Amino acid sequence: DGGITQSPKYLFRKEGQNVTLSCEQNLNHDAMYWYRQDPGQGLRLIYYSQIVNDFQKGDIAEGYSVSREKKESFPLTVTSAQKNPTAFYLCASSRDRAGTNEKLFFGSGTQLSVL
Amino acid sequence: SQKIEQNSEALNIQEGKTATLTCNYTNYSPAYLQWYRQDPGRGPVFLLLIRENEKEKRKERLKVTFDTTLKQSLFHITASQPADSATYLCALPASGGSYIPTFGRGTSLIVHP
């Protein structure tokens, strides 16, 4: 089945540690996105990528980094500079670049907590 | 700046009734609006997209309206069922050139049997 796979489902981060969240898609989509969701809050955009080897900062990029070396993969690293990382992280993709009425396909999310 | 408002209070209704959820926005004139469903601990799932030149869109028991004068979209679920219980999010393309979908905080719908 085609879709987006996020792993792990649950992740714990120690003080000062960098952690990487995985996101893989087999939909052959060009664009991929990372959102953060806090309880009772809307989704906030962290980073997005419209094409391989290119990505742009979203509204809350500080303390995060990404790479897009392959079309299928868009991993997110939560660095030690992110002081409040506890949240539900959602990866999404769309067939074409944003602005073309494209719907987003989401993964099942990663819950990150601080030890 | 662009703002999307959805009722933060949960909507409780009886099975079989019509649920109506509201999405209001300010400081923007979007070309389209989307609605998603999110279950606890899961990612959102796309439901419907309505364009600025469309007044109404239907899909099975779902109906969406888009009033660009009022800057409001209404999302209706007719003959609601307990399985419709979830959080419903509206999304608009961001202003400023990126057009990346920007989400409201969502409204929780609880359908009682």
Side-chain angles (χ1 to χ4, degrees), chain A residues 9 35 37 101-104, chain B residues 32 36 38 41 49 51 101:
Chain A
K9 181 65 176 174
Y35 288 90
Q37 187 174 35
N101 304 343
E102 289 293 334
K103 61 185 179 183
L104 298 186
Chain B
Y32 63 88
Y36 290 78
Q38 186 176 24
L49 180 150
R51 294 180 173 80

Side-chain angles (χ1 to χ4, degrees), chain B residues 46-61:
Chain B
F46 172 81
L47 296 174
L48 282 168
L49 180 150
I50 186 166
R51 294 180 173 80
E52 61 179 339
N53 60 348
E54 298 174 319
K55 296 296 183 188
E56 182 179 295
K57 201 87 171 273
R58 292 176 184 261
K59 179 183 176 183
E60 297 172 353
R61 294 185 294 111

Side-chain angles (χ1 to χ4, degrees), chain A residues 9 33 35 37 40-43 45 48 50 59 88 90 98-109, chain B residues 8 31-32 34 36 38-39 41-46 49 51 89 93 98-106:
Chain A
K9 181 65 176 174
Y33 314 82
Y35 288 90
Q37 187 174 35
Q41 301 295 315
L43 280 64
L45 183 67
Y48 65 98
Q50 307 275 39
D59 301 319
F88 190 51
L90 288 160
T100 56
N101 304 343
E102 289 293 334
K103 61 185 179 183
L104 298 186
F105 292 77
F106 283 88
S108 56
Chain B
S8 58
Y32 63 88
Q34 299 176 338
Y36 290 78
Q38 186 176 24
D39 291 285
R42 309 288 295 177
V45 175
F46 172 81
L49 180 150
R51 294 180 173 80
L89 307 167
S98 76
Y99 303 109
I100 305 295
T102 302
F103 288 81
R105 62 177 57 191

Side-chain angles (χ1 to χ4, degrees), chain A residues 13-76:
Chain A
R13 193 191 89 167
K14 293 180 181 178
E15 197 74 32
Q17 185 182 41
N18 293 354
V19 293
T20 298
L21 284 60
S22 171
C23 178
E24 303 279 332
Q25 55 101 356
N26 60 4
L27 299 167
N28 198 33
H29 284 178
D30 284 331
M32 297 187 75
Y33 314 82
W34 275 105
Y35 288 90
R36 167 179 172 146
Q37 187 174 35
D38 294 278
Q41 301 295 315
L43 280 64
R44 292 185 289 168
L45 183 67
I46 305 173
Y47 268 98
Y48 65 98
S49 169
Q50 307 275 39
I51 196 168
V52 175
N53 292 322
D54 184 58
F55 49 83
Q56 305 295 328
K57 293 182 179 180
D59 301 319
I60 56 165
E62 186 174 350
Y64 301 97
S65 65
V66 293
S67 62
R68 187 86 187 277
E69 297 176 0
K70 298 186 301 182
K71 188 175 185 178
E72 308 78 40
S73 180
F74 192 41
L76 173 74

Side-chain angles (χ1 to χ4, degrees), chain B residues 2 4-5 17 21 26 34 37 39 55 60 65 69 83 88 96 98 111:
Chain B
Q2 180 186 8
I4 303 171
E5 296 176 343
K17 300 293 185 183
L21 306 175
T26 59
Q34 299 176 338
R37 168 183 172 143
D39 291 285
K55 296 296 183 188
E60 297 172 353
T65 62
T69 301
Y88 292 85
S98 76
V111 181

